[in-house]
Amino acid sequence: MKVKNRTALGFILTITGGILWGFSGSCGQYLFTFHSVTSDWLVPIRMLCTGLILLVMSTIKNKEKIFDVWHGKKNVVTMAAFTVFGLVLCQYAYFRAIEFSNAGVATVLQYLSPAMILAFTCIKNKRMPKIFEIVAIILAIGGTFLIAAGGSENMQLSPKALFWGLAAAVFLVCYSLIPAPLLKISDTPTVLGWGMLAGGICLMPVFRPWEIMPVISLPLILALGSIIIFGTVIAYSFYLEGIHLIGASKASVISSIEPVSATVISALWLGTEFAATDFIGFAMIISTIFIISVNAKK
């Protein structure tokens, strides 16, 4: 009974985390559409606030190891690379893709990263891809083509939307691969917290968000707070606990509800219209996650 309760709780937490991630993307779309917010304003503020919150939580939990990731030149270089390529560029590309399209499309395109990791692994190891890897890559490419070229006339992706969506996927690969050495010496909240904080500090003088301030209102504050608290801190914490309870393989598959939730919330809340070919493309890309996860477990 305890095992069943543990598994059920893991599923609930993981699904909730994925839904909240999708909700975060829709909140970003809401800010871009109705409050004249730009990625140049949103990304540095989100990263700075999230970094501070995560580091405070990490300090309370394990203050003795809070600075371990900064010990040694190699760790500093890895942290810098993770901050720039895994966080700053990934966050910025993702929200730029939302700006030029919508939360559903941007989130699905970002989920091309598993197929990209597959291709990278094959090239790195100088081997031919396996059958399931070929199928996953073909589905990923085909799904991207349908989303980019198909759909209703007003939903066809602009070159900018496609570029930033693919860029988000590339930098999500960096986010997945670069911090591996750091996670051996520190926990994920600490690594993510330092990366977010460092990224936010670096972006502040670059984008100078205080000079492009939108009109502050309660809806804007609520949407921004939802992105930071629900879409980052809580979603991330739920997902980590879900991995602890049911394992990374199952959690990674369940978390693919994120693009589904982003699409549904975008349609119901913001009135975004999708064509049949859009949904087919979404299904093709999301199916690659199941194919990769199942075969990787074997």
Side-chain angles (χ1 to χ4, degrees), residues 35-109:
H35 292 276
S36 301
V37 168
T38 65
S39 297
D40 294 356
W41 182 85
L42 177 60
V43 173
I45 291 177
R46 182 202 189 192
M47 294 189 71
L48 193 64
C49 294
T50 300
L52 288 170
I53 293 172
L54 287 174
L55 284 178
V56 169
M57 292 171 59
S58 297
T59 302
I60 295 172
K61 183 179 179 181
N62 195 4
K63 63 180 180 180
E64 292 81 9
K65 296 185 177 181
I66 194 70
F67 293 104
D68 284 3
V69 295
W70 297 108
H71 293 165
K73 182 179 179 181
K74 188 175 180 180
N75 290 337
V76 172
V77 172
T78 304
M79 176 58 75
F82 175 58
T83 297
V84 174
F85 298 104
L87 288 175
V88 171
L89 293 177
C90 184
Q91 297 281 319
Y92 187 74
Y94 174 63
F95 280 107
R96 286 291 278 176
I98 293 178
E99 267 192 275
F100 290 115
S101 56
N102 58 72
V105 168
T107 307
V108 171
L109 288 178

Side-chain angles (χ1 to χ4, degrees), residues 145-293:
F145 175 79
L146 279 180
I147 296 171
S152 57
E153 186 174 335
N154 65 325
M155 276 301 299
Q156 291 180 359
L157 284 189
S158 67
K160 289 183 178 179
L162 182 60
F163 170 80
W164 287 111
L166 294 177
V170 170
F171 293 124
L172 187 58
V173 173
C174 298
Y175 172 86
S176 303
L177 299 180
I178 292 176
L182 298 173
L183 296 175
K184 293 178 181 179
I185 61 174
S186 188
D187 59 5
T188 309
T190 302
V191 174
L192 185 61
W194 278 120
M196 286 281 193
L197 180 63
I201 292 173
C202 291
L203 287 180
M204 281 292 177
V206 175
F207 291 134
R208 305 172 72 86
W210 56 87
E211 294 183 353
I212 50 176
M213 285 290 291
V215 177
I216 302 300
S217 63
L218 180 59
L220 183 146
I221 294 173
L222 290 176
L224 178 61
S226 296
I227 291 174
I228 294 169
I229 302 299
F230 295 105
T232 306
V233 177
I234 294 179
Y236 161 77
S237 300
F238 279 13
Y239 181 68
L240 272 188
E241 185 62 23
I243 289 177
H244 175 68
L245 293 173
I246 62 176
S249 180
K250 290 180 181 178
S252 64
V253 174
I254 297 171
S255 69
S256 63
I257 196 172
E258 177 189 353
V260 177
S261 69
T263 302
V264 172
I265 294 172
S266 178
L268 295 179
W269 178 25
L270 304 174
T272 305
E273 296 181 359
F274 298 95
T277 48
D278 296 321
F279 289 114
I280 295 173
F282 293 173
M284 290 173 69
I285 291 175
I286 295 171
S287 68
T288 65
I289 303 167
F290 290 84
I291 294 171
I292 292 169
S293 298

